[in-house]
Amino acid sequence: MKLTSIILLALFQISGTPKLMIKPTPVKVWKENDGILVIEVENHSDKKSPNVKWELKKESKGFSGTGYYQWTGVGIWHKIDEYASMASERILSYTFEINKKGIYYAKIKNFHLMEDGDNDVYLSINKSSWNKIYDHQKENWTWDENGQWNDKYPQYLKKGIYQIELAGRSQGFAIDKIALFHESHSPDPWTDCESTIWADSKESKTYYTND
């Protein structure tokens, strides 16, 4: 009897069925550096569902990286707060690591054709309640208009691993990248994002983990 057959027979006698080792899928992690984290959305960690309606596009010039994502699914106009209430096919997930603890804000570089109707998306950090991120500057790549004193942000983040997730809300809304920044890098005034150090920063470094 071959050695392989002997091993399988022994496993069957012990447990009733052979146990096969399944290697976990590596997870991509973006690393914050000096209070700045930049993610190109096309390099997502995970699509929650194979039916997700975020599509890679390149038509609207002015994006960075290799492209951008646009929500092409049906829009939702009712309010969604609880994390578990969001349909999985709407969600894009990104895993990141914080080393500099403190208060952090999130901003999204976006593009849309109308002032209203295709101008927002939902965002959640570490499975917190969903927060609507919106913008009214049409036909141009701009940072969202959510204010400094949003009801669910900023968030205090300790050193550790977190997730930031986007969920499709308005059909046609396009996203180029996400910036997560420490309060020490806040815009001044708050509406002047383009003058910040993170506005034109390259994508943060990444690594892979099986955890």
Side-chain angles (χ1 to χ4, degrees), residues 13 36-37 45 53 74 99 131 135 159 169 174 197:
Q13 290 174 339
I36 295 173
L37 183 83
S45 290
K53 294 298 190 298
V74 176
N99 288 297
N131 182 42
D135 184 77
K159 184 176 181 179
R169 186 177 190 275
I197 190 173

Side-chain angles (χ1 to χ4, degrees), residues 177-204:
K177 57 186 175 182
I178 305 167
L180 192 71
F181 54 92
H182 190 271
E183 62 179 341
S184 58
H185 297 300
S186 297
D188 185 20
W190 190 254
T191 54
D192 187 16
C193 293
E194 293 299 336
S195 65
T196 63
I197 190 173
W198 45 263
D200 293 317
S201 294
K202 293 182 179 179
E203 185 174 32
S204 300

Side-chain angles (χ1 to χ4, degrees), residues 13-30:
Q13 290 174 339
I14 293 171
S15 64
T17 56
K19 293 183 178 179
L20 301 177
M21 298 298 293
I22 300 175
K23 189 176 181 180
T25 302
V27 175
K28 190 174 187 177
V29 182
W30 281 260

Side-chain angles (χ1 to χ4, degrees), residues 21-89:
M21 298 298 293
I22 300 175
K23 189 176 181 180
T25 302
V27 175
K28 190 174 187 177
V29 182
W30 281 260
K31 293 182 66 176
E32 165 265 321
N33 181 44
D34 192 28
I36 295 173
L37 183 83
V38 177
I39 299 173
E40 294 284 352
V41 296
E42 69 270 20
N43 300 325
H44 55 82
S45 290
D46 174 52
K47 286 184 176 181
K48 291 286 186 181
S49 166
N51 299 317
V52 71
K53 294 298 190 298
W54 286 102
E55 294 187 6
L56 181 64
K57 302 282 188 176
K58 298 184 179 182
E59 288 82 358
S60 299
K61 303 303 180 184
F63 60 85
S64 58
T66 58
Y68 57 90
Y69 267 132
Q70 184 176 50
W71 175 248
T72 61
V74 176
I76 45 176
W77 308 114
H78 58 281
K79 187 177 180 180
I80 295 180
D81 284 324
E82 293 184 7
Y83 177 83
S85 299
M86 186 65 68
S88 61
E89 61 264 23

